[in-house]
Each structure stands twice: as structure tokens, then as C-alpha cells.
């Protein structure tokens, strides 16, 4: 079974992604901040991490940097609703 972790502070994004990714061969977990995402990644392996750039605690770019130290082989999708580079981070 594939394990997917969604890290985003917007519950609507979780519902949308979970509905789009739902399958019998996938286990999807949701967290709402980067620190909790990092704790989950330290505790267990995931096949895919989907993270927002702007989150409380630990932003998506810092999470990306740290998760590659903890789980170097994990695939990551970084998402944002920001429409310009100036709005990221």
C-alpha cells in the first residue's frame, strides 16, 4: 500500500487532494503544519509527500530541506496558491 502525506494548513486542500488521490492501494494522512509533517516523516516512511509552501511552524521549503535528510528517497510535490515569487515564503 502506498503511503501519502498531505501537509497543508487549509482543510479544503486536504479534502480536495484526498478525494482526488483516494484509492484502495493508497493510505492518505493529513497534517496541518510543517513540524507535524516532519515528526510523521521521522516516525515512518512515505511514498509521497505533498506540501504547501506557506504553513505555520515550519514552512514547506524548510520541510523539503529537512525531509531529504530524514527520508532521502521520498518523492515530494510542493504546492502554493501564491501567484508570484514575491508571495512565496
Amino acid at each position: 500500500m502506498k503511503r501519502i502525506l498531505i501537509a497543508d494548513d487549509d482543510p479544503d486542500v486536504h479534502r480536495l487532494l484526498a478525494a482526488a488521490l483516494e484509492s484502495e492501494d493508497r493510505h492518505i494522512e493529513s497534517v496541518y503544519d510543517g513540524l507535524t509533517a516532519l515528526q510523521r516523516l521521522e516516525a515512518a516512511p512515505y511514498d509521497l509527500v505533498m506540501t504547501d509552501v506557506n504553513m505555520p511552524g515550519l514552512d514547506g521549503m524548510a520541510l523539503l530541506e529537512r525531509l531529504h535528510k530524514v527520508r532521502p528517497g521520498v518523492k515530494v510535490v510542493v504546492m502554493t496558491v501564491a501567484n508570484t515569487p514575491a508571495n512565496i515564503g
Side-chain angles (χ1 to χ4, degrees):
M1 180 170 284
K2 300 286 184 184
R3 298 188 69 209
I4 299 171
L5 180 65
I6 300 169
D8 196 301
D9 58 340
D10 185 340
D12 291 332
V13 170
H14 287 270
R15 284 190 288 278
L16 177 69
L17 290 173
L21 296 168
E22 186 177 4
S23 174
E24 289 182 19
D25 65 338
R26 295 180 187 142
H27 175 74
I28 300 169
E29 294 183 36
S30 292
V31 296
Y32 296 90
D33 64 81
L35 289 173
T36 304
L38 184 59
Q39 290 170 349
R40 294 275 180 96
L41 287 157
E42 289 172 339
Y46 289 84
D47 298 289
L48 175 65
V49 176
M50 302 184 78
T51 182
D52 186 17
V53 171
N54 296 311
M55 291 185 296
L58 184 68
D59 70 35
M61 299 311 289
L63 174 62
L64 177 65
E65 183 179 322
R66 293 183 60 184
L67 77 82
H68 279 301
K69 293 177 184 175
V70 175
R71 301 280 177 196
V74 70
K75 292 178 178 110
V76 180
V77 174
V78 178
M79 311 169 290
T80 185
V81 297
N83 58 3
T84 65
N87 293 335
I88 298 173

